[in-house]
Amino acid sequence: MALIQRANNFRWGDIGEEDDIDFLLPPREVIGPDENGIRKVIEYRYNEESRRVRVTTTTRVQKRVLSKQAAERRSWPKFGDAAREEAGHYLTVRSTEDIHLERLNAHGNQAEEATTSGDDSMSQACNAGGVLMVCRICCMRGDHWTARCPQRDLLSLMETPTEASTSTEAYVPPSMRKGADRRSTRNDDNSVRVTNLSEDTREQDLMELFSAFGAVSRAYVALDKNTNMSRGFGFVNFVSREDAQRAINNLNGYGYDSLILRKLFAGSNLLRSSNFFKISVFVLNSVACFFLGKHWSENGFRRLVFFSSEPSRSPIVALSPDFGKNYNISDLIHEIHPIPPLPLTPPPPPSTVDLQVFGIVDENGTMSDEFQIGDYDAETEEASGNQTESVSSSDERTTTVRVSVGKIEICSVEMTDYIPCLDNVEAIKRLKTTTRGERFERHCPKEGLGLNCTVPVPNGYRLPIPWPKSRDEVWFNNVPHTRLVEDKSGQNWILKENDKFKFPGGGTQFIHGADQYLDQISQMIPDIGFGSHTRVVLDIGCGVASFGAYLMSRDVLTMSIAPKDVHENQIQFALERGVPAMVAAFTTRRLLYPSQAFDLVHCSRCRINWTRDDGILLLEVNRMLRAGGYFVWAAQPVYKHEKALEEQWEEMLNLTTRLCWVLVKKEGYLAIWQKPTNNTCYLSRDAAIMPPLCNPEDDPDSVWYVWHLKACITRIEDNGYGANLSPWPSRLQTPPDRLQTIQIDSYIARKELFIAEYKYWKEIISNYVRALHWKQIGLRNVMDMRAGFGGFAAALAELKVDCWVLNVVPVSGPNTLPVIYDRGLLGVMHDWCEPFDTYPRTYDLLHAAGLFSIERKRCNMTTIMLEMDRILRPGGRVYIRDTINVMSELQEIGNAMRWHTTLRETAEGPHASYRILFCEKRFESSLDLDKHPTKKRRRKSKGKRH
């Protein structure tokens, strides 16, 4: 009330400069604490500029459970600066007052003051004992410290000055002064380490607890410097070790302050012992000297040879480590007892000269010098320069390999786009008929007449444009062929602009773009479900593969196939764009894909007569189409009403009905059929209806060089194998049912082998992605040359590496193609003794794990490496993981092809039987080729290596 009355009567003219005007501020407000413990304090004050400011302090009130001792201490009356704090505040206050400490003597008497002065009085006072705090100058006890002695200056005047007194006197601890007892009062061997102490334990508590077992010289509790609370451990030093041991025996595990104590000797830690350190250093030095001496003795000096005069009585026969090594005993003896050299005297001239005659051994075992030496043939020597010879003894454990790799030349420019098995003109001329497309089939060169040079790059070749930009444009000089531009300019396939080919995304039946075309298919049949139910697609007669290119954005893999016909280079354009593709044709043989491989088969003006020969080509599609899959046909017979085209449509309807296909939708120029999910329709047909079901003994997954297609319907597995698949992407990691049908020698379950392969490759590729930056180096077209179950490709897909993988299953191993396609991946069967059906310079990465150690028994490794060089892009990479005994030869071949090779160890270490060969195909521009011109030839190269 007084402040309010004073404020009301306040006049500014009555106040001076030094007067306090805080009474004008509003009163202090306290709000809370609320239900959350939030408390606000609002105060007002004047700042340095005499302006009124409001200060709001927000605090949180928390309830803490304290020990009884702490709660009791809070009830004590406050003193000093803490006495001005409000009730309920328990903040730690640091005192700024001068507090004089006074220690008592051993008997509890109070300290006696010594007020004597002078030299004699100080000496008498210093001889008196009993007080711990004694001034070292005036010997006054309990009054002040030595540094604050009032007689310090007086004593310095009484002393005789010396030379050393000119400098500042340094502090000397009492234990180092003259006459002091320097024996240590602390013995760590008698110290006991106490753990599991409560936060409130102090040194006095330990003294009271342990003094019952003997004399205690010191007790120490480790305190936290911030909270000043016990850190949970401490030390107690006994005078006698026996007393310390007795305390440990009685108090170890003793309950103290709701905790169980743990005790041991502080010096009992073996690692802290100096003896242990000395012994450890001695042992390490001994081991190091042993191994160094062993290494030097093996490399730099001869081994000692030991002899025993007594025969061995052991029935066990063992081989000595020196078995098979020759030693010159005379040299060893001479090294120990050197014989002085005899004086050198010139030898007498020989009366006769013996001539050594060299010859050959005839059939009678005698030496004969009658033999002829043939003429040197340079061409024969050059032709045999690239051969690899392997000589094996009768003992299978030892194999001697002689590697002879000569220079590998560059082929002529006419072979820039050479495909050995499809460009064999001589074999094609010998064909009896070509009415069913036999000229588009594989006709590989005979053994010894294959590729023996590296295929050159086109003039002006540049590194490919990376994905996804490559979907819409590629360099003209990389695929310098304009036939498709001339023939398909009005169908929105491909355009040429300056130094690039442009791909607008159209096709013959979808000139408005592939995206709109795919949307139409999805609207017609929503169950197709691109990217979930439909994952793997076959596009027949693909053109420039725009259909498959735009399906990539919908998480669908499309195998685009087309023959090397009048249009040529369709597949080369597709691979240059970064789209999966292969050169293949529907002729008289099975395609190299397993049964029930594709979820959807697409044919848009693919120029194939599906009804010829009782529909034998559509039966091949039926074999590869998954049960419940779709066949999409976009062609003129679907929508045109000409008489001939209407007859073709009726024939197509009749054939698909006999195949039990269901016409799901016909709209515009599109017709979509669905394959049945079981054999019920086939078994319910009349026996006279053709075509019949294939024999149960017929293997629909056998595809390598299967001649003469059979006009029969491939049976669907009765157990649902190949049809009951999980949607993508879960099918990638789910072991498929057809895994159990794989003919493989395995001592463990196939599912465990399937999972183990994926984990193995995922760990390796994770390291590649992290260390070798696989996501940044522009990998797009990848081939796994020995795929197994497709674990390598699955790991790349799981790790989101933006590439596609063609999984190649060699004919020399088990046929795992059904499992690869059931996982939602692409694959093909191939024999690596023959060339692959693709254009040169089409893959960024070739991966071969365990391939050469198996194929070397059947194939020439130089032939395989040359084929790898043909299909690898300039700047592309090769990763070969194989056994040690093939690596040296592979590295020599790689160097001969001008690859950059690096041989490295695997993660198993230097003693593992496997190695990794990293190769990179160097980019050779057309300027490099012009410096080393080659003669025009078809297969054998006579040019110079550069």
Side-chain angles (χ1 to χ4, degrees):
M1 293 295 295
L3 291 176
I4 296 175
Q5 183 178 3
R6 183 182 178 186
N8 295 331
N9 299 329
F10 172 74
R11 291 182 299 178
W12 287 102
D14 299 336
I15 191 170
E17 295 181 357
E18 302 297 334
D19 293 342
D20 186 10
I21 58 174
D22 291 344
F23 64 90
L24 297 175
L25 297 174
R28 183 171 178 265
E29 300 180 19
V30 179
I31 304 174
D34 58 8
E35 55 190 15
N36 297 323
I38 303 299
R39 176 174 176 232
K40 292 186 178 180
V41 179
I42 303 176
E43 296 177 319
Y44 297 87
R45 65 186 181 189
Y46 291 103
N47 59 10
E48 297 178 353
E49 300 177 356
S50 300
R51 294 183 179 180
R52 188 175 66 179
V53 295
R54 186 175 73 171
V55 179
T56 302
T57 305
T58 303
T59 58
R60 181 186 293 274
V61 180
Q62 295 181 344
K63 293 183 179 180
R64 297 180 58 186
V65 179
L66 302 176
S67 61
K68 295 180 181 180
Q69 294 82 354
E72 181 181 357
R73 288 195 299 271
R74 290 195 172 187
S75 62
W76 294 352
K78 299 180 180 180
F79 60 91
D81 295 337
R84 294 190 292 270
E85 294 292 334
E86 297 181 2
H89 283 208
Y90 301 103
L91 300 178
T92 301
V93 179
R94 177 175 295 179
S95 176
T96 58
E97 303 174 3
D98 293 335
I99 301 176
H100 299 283
L101 300 179
E102 180 176 339
R103 295 183 179 269
L104 303 179
N105 56 11
H107 300 286
N109 298 330
Q110 295 183 355
E112 300 178 0
E113 296 183 359
T115 57
T116 59
S117 59
D119 188 23
D120 296 336
S121 60
M122 285 189 291
S123 301
Q124 294 175 3
C126 289
N127 294 330
V131 179
L132 296 178
M133 188 179 67
V134 180
C135 177
R136 296 194 303 274
I137 298 177
C138 63
C139 293
M140 182 174 293
R141 290 169 289 183
D143 180 71
H144 57 265
W145 300 102
T146 305
R148 298 185 179 181
C149 179
Q151 301 184 21
R152 182 181 182 89
D153 298 334
L154 180 61
L155 181 62
S156 61
L157 295 174
M158 296 173 59
E159 295 177 351
T160 304
T162 60
E163 296 180 359
S165 62
T166 58
S167 60
T168 303
E169 182 180 358
Y171 171 76
V172 180
S175 60
M176 301 295 294
R177 293 171 190 159
K178 184 176 181 181
D181 185 7
R182 300 189 181 182
R183 292 179 298 174
S184 174
T185 59
R186 173 180 172 182
N187 188 357
D188 287 340
D189 294 338
N190 301 341
S191 296
V192 178
R193 189 175 189 268
V194 188
T195 58
N196 214 21
L197 297 176
S198 65
E199 294 180 348
D200 301 323
T201 305
R202 294 296 181 264
E203 297 175 357
Q204 185 63 28
D205 300 332
L206 294 183
M207 293 288 290
E208 295 176 358
L209 181 63
F210 284 86
S211 59
F213 300 97
V216 177
S217 61
R218 178 177 175 269
Y220 168 75
V221 175
L223 301 179
D224 188 271
K225 63 180 181 179
N226 296 323
T227 62
N228 202 32
M229 303 181 71
S230 172
R231 295 173 59 188
F233 68 93
F235 297 90
V236 178
N237 190 273
F238 283 86
V239 177
S240 173
R241 184 177 178 84
E242 290 76 12
D243 297 340
Q245 184 63 52
R246 186 165 55 255
I248 292 176
N249 296 337
N250 289 275
L251 295 181
N252 190 29
Y254 175 74
Y256 182 75
D257 198 6
S258 73
L259 296 176
I260 305 300
L261 299 181
R262 293 288 181 264
K263 304 171 186 64
L264 71 161
F265 280 109
S268 61
N269 191 349
L270 183 61
L271 296 178
R272 297 181 180 180
S273 174
S274 60
N275 294 332
F276 175 78
F277 178 76
K278 294 177 181 178
I279 295 174
S280 301
V281 172
F282 175 76
V283 171
L284 291 176
N285 289 335
S286 301
V287 173
C289 293
F290 171 76
F291 281 103
L292 289 176
K294 182 176 181 298
H295 174 72
W296 288 337
S297 63
E298 289 181 351
N299 296 339
F301 304 95
R302 295 179 181 269
R303 289 189 180 182
L304 297 179
V305 183
F306 297 92
F307 302 92
S308 177
S309 58
E310 297 181 1
S312 176
R313 299 180 182 178
S314 174
I316 301 175
V317 178
L319 292 177
S320 168
D322 295 327
F323 176 76
K325 297 184 178 181
N326 298 325
Y327 294 95
N328 191 340
I329 305 300
S330 300
D331 292 345
L332 294 177
I333 297 174
H334 292 167
E335 290 178 2
I336 301 175
H337 304 285
I339 301 176
L342 297 176
L344 297 177
T345 57
S351 58
T352 59
V353 178
D354 295 333
L355 299 178
Q356 294 181 350
V357 180
F358 295 91
I360 60 174
V361 179
D362 57 13
E363 62 274 8
N364 298 325
T366 58
M367 181 70 71
S368 173
D369 57 355
E370 297 179 358
F371 59 91
Q372 295 180 354
I373 300 177
D375 297 333
Y376 174 74
D377 189 353
E379 294 185 358
T380 305
E381 176 64 22
E382 180 181 1
S384 63
N386 296 334
Q387 302 298 321
T388 303
E389 299 179 359
S390 177
V391 179
S392 302
S393 63
S394 59
D395 188 0
E396 296 182 355
R397 295 175 300 176
T398 60
T399 302
T400 304
V401 180
R402 296 195 304 268
V403 180
S404 176
V405 181
K407 59 182 180 180
I408 298 179
E409 302 173 350
I410 301 176
C411 304
S412 61
V413 293
E414 289 82 1
M415 303 178 68
T416 301
D417 296 329
Y418 178 62
I419 305 177
C421 293
L422 300 179
D423 291 335
N424 191 354
V425 180
E426 297 177 358
I428 294 174
K429 289 180 179 179
R430 291 194 298 266
L431 294 175
K432 298 179 180 179
T433 178
T434 59
T435 56
R436 289 178 171 81
E438 289 86 352
R439 62 191 180 92
F440 301 126
E441 296 175 344
R442 290 173 56 87
H443 304 285
C444 299
K446 295 182 180 180
E447 185 177 358
L449 298 178
L451 192 68
N452 64 348
C453 54
T454 59
V455 175
V457 297
N459 187 23
Y461 183 88
R462 302 172 65 175
L463 291 178
I465 298 174
W467 180 268
K469 191 176 180 180
S470 62
R471 188 195 71 173
D472 302 324
E473 61 182 20
V474 299
W475 297 114
F476 168 78
N477 288 332
N478 290 10
V479 193
H481 304 285
T482 58
R483 176 68 182 270
L484 282 175
V485 178
E486 298 169 358
D487 294 347
K488 304 295 181 180
S489 59
Q491 298 178 5
N492 213 18
W493 274 31
I494 181 174
L495 303 172
K496 183 181 182 300
E497 294 183 3
N498 299 325
D499 57 348
K500 292 180 181 179
F501 283 117
K502 300 285 186 176
F503 303 95
T508 303
Q509 293 298 137
F510 45 94
I511 60 176
H512 298 295
D515 264 336
Q516 181 180 352
Y517 181 67
L518 294 172
D519 292 339
Q520 180 183 356
I521 295 175
S522 299
Q523 293 171 3
M524 291 175 62
I525 312 293
D527 292 339
I528 286 181
F530 288 122
S532 57
H533 178 72
T534 299
R535 164 63 180 175
V536 186
V537 173
L538 177 66
D539 185 18
I540 305 171
C542 61
V544 292
S546 291
F547 180 80
Y550 282 84
L551 273 176
M552 301 285 291
S553 60
R554 304 180 186 228
D555 214 1
V556 176
L557 284 178
T558 304
M559 175 60 73
S560 302
I561 62 173
K564 192 177 183 182
D565 56 6
V566 292
H567 291 132
E568 290 189 350
N569 307 102
Q570 298 179 70
I571 300 303
Q572 192 173 14
F573 276 114
L575 290 168
E576 186 69 19
R577 297 176 70 182
V579 181
M582 277 190 65
V583 181
F586 280 84
T587 54
T588 62
R589 305 178 187 175
R590 280 183 176 178
L591 270 70
L592 303 178
Y593 313 110
S595 65
Q596 298 197 68
F598 300 100
D599 306 316
L600 183 144
V601 177
H602 175 254
C603 169
S604 175
R605 295 287 292 271
C606 54
R607 297 172 32 166
I608 296 178
N609 184 6
W610 295 114
T611 59
R612 75 167 176 87
D613 297 336
D614 296 328
I616 195 170
L617 299 183
L618 196 62
L619 288 172
E620 176 65 5
V621 172
N622 181 78
R623 180 188 68 86
M624 297 183 295
L625 186 61
R626 196 177 301 279
Y630 297 90
F631 177 73
V632 180
W633 193 36
Q636 291 181 350
V638 177
Y639 63 94
K640 283 193 174 183
H641 300 286
E642 299 177 3
K643 183 177 180 181
L645 296 176
E646 289 180 349
E647 292 178 355
Q648 294 180 16
W649 172 251
E650 293 297 329
E651 292 177 359
M652 188 69 172
L653 279 180
N654 182 24
L655 177 60
T656 54
T657 302
R658 287 185 281 122
L659 294 180
C660 293
W661 286 10
V662 178
L663 180 61
V664 183
K665 193 84 172 183
K666 179 185 177 184
E667 181 180 294
Y669 48 82
L670 276 174
I672 303 177
W673 285 269
Q674 186 177 19
K675 180 180 176 180
T677 58
N678 52 53
N679 296 318
T680 303
C681 176
Y682 302 138
L683 299 176
S684 62
R685 296 184 312 166
D686 188 271
I689 295 179
M690 301 298 288
L693 285 174
C694 295
N695 294 328
E697 294 78 12
D698 181 63
D699 184 7
D701 297 325
S702 178
V703 296
W704 186 249
Y705 280 130
V706 177
W707 302 82
H708 306 298
L709 295 176
K710 297 180 180 180
C712 61
I713 301 175
T714 303
R715 294 174 179 267
I716 300 175
E717 296 289 342
D718 296 331
N719 48 21
Y721 284 5
N724 302 326
L725 297 178
S726 303
W728 178 264
S730 60
R731 66 190 281 189
L732 181 66
Q733 307 300 339
T734 304
D737 296 331
R738 287 201 284 182
L739 180 64
Q740 305 301 325
T741 64
I742 305 301
Q743 301 297 324
I744 185 173
D745 296 332
S746 175
Y747 293 99
I748 61 176
R750 288 174 171 83
K751 289 186 177 180
E752 280 75 6
L753 187 62
F754 176 90
I755 297 173
E757 183 198 65
Y758 166 72
K759 291 182 177 179
Y760 172 78
W761 285 118
K762 185 177 181 180
E763 180 181 359
I764 293 176
I765 295 176
S766 298
N767 297 331
Y768 288 167
V769 171
R770 181 177 61 257
L772 302 179
H773 310 289
W774 272 20
K775 290 186 178 181
Q776 290 80 32
I777 61 177
L779 295 181
R780 180 59 189 171
N781 303 354
V782 180
M783 177 185 289
D784 190 3
M785 301 177 66
R786 185 171 176 263
F789 294 127
F792 179 83
L796 284 173
E798 186 74 16
L799 295 172
K800 306 299 182 183
V801 180
D802 195 7
C803 66
W804 61 270
V805 181
L806 182 61
N807 298 276
V808 180
V809 177
V811 297
S812 57
N815 185 5
T816 57
L817 277 178
V819 175
I820 291 174
Y821 276 92
D822 288 351
R823 300 184 72 173
L825 304 173
L826 296 176
V828 68
M829 180 76 70
H830 185 64
D831 185 355
W832 284 113
C833 296
E834 299 181 4
F836 193 78
D837 290 341
T838 189
Y839 282 86
R841 303 172 302 280
T842 50
Y843 284 89
D844 301 300
L845 173 65
L846 301 179
H847 178 259
L851 175 70
F852 289 92
S853 56
I854 296 176
E855 300 296 349
R856 66 180 302 189
K857 304 173 183 177
R858 309 171 49 249
C859 318
N860 188 300
M861 291 200 294
T862 304
T863 301
I864 302 177
M865 292 285 283
L866 281 171
E867 179 63 13
M868 294 170 65
D869 179 84
R870 186 184 70 85
I871 66 179
L872 187 65
R873 284 174 170 174
R877 293 169 171 83
V878 176
Y879 286 63
I880 301 175
R881 180 184 293 263
D882 221 312
T883 56
I884 299 177
N885 54 359
V886 300
M887 282 301 178
S888 60
E889 182 177 354
L890 294 177
Q891 191 171 16
E892 288 294 329
I893 299 173
N895 294 333
M897 296 188 301
R898 295 166 296 282
W899 286 2
H900 177 71
T901 62
T902 303
L903 187 62
R904 299 182 181 177
E905 300 173 353
T906 61
E908 289 80 3
H911 302 291
S913 59
Y914 280 77
R915 292 289 186 272
I916 303 177
L917 183 62
F918 295 90
C919 307
E920 181 177 358
K921 182 178 179 180
R922 295 176 178 174
F923 179 80
E924 297 174 343
S925 63
S926 58
L927 296 178
D928 298 330
L929 298 178
D930 293 340
K931 295 178 182 178
H932 304 275
T934 55
K935 296 180 180 180
K936 294 185 178 180
R937 61 195 181 283
R938 305 194 65 85
R939 288 188 180 87
K940 291 189 177 181
S941 175
K942 298 294 184 181
K944 297 182 179 180
R945 173 188 174 187
H946 62 280

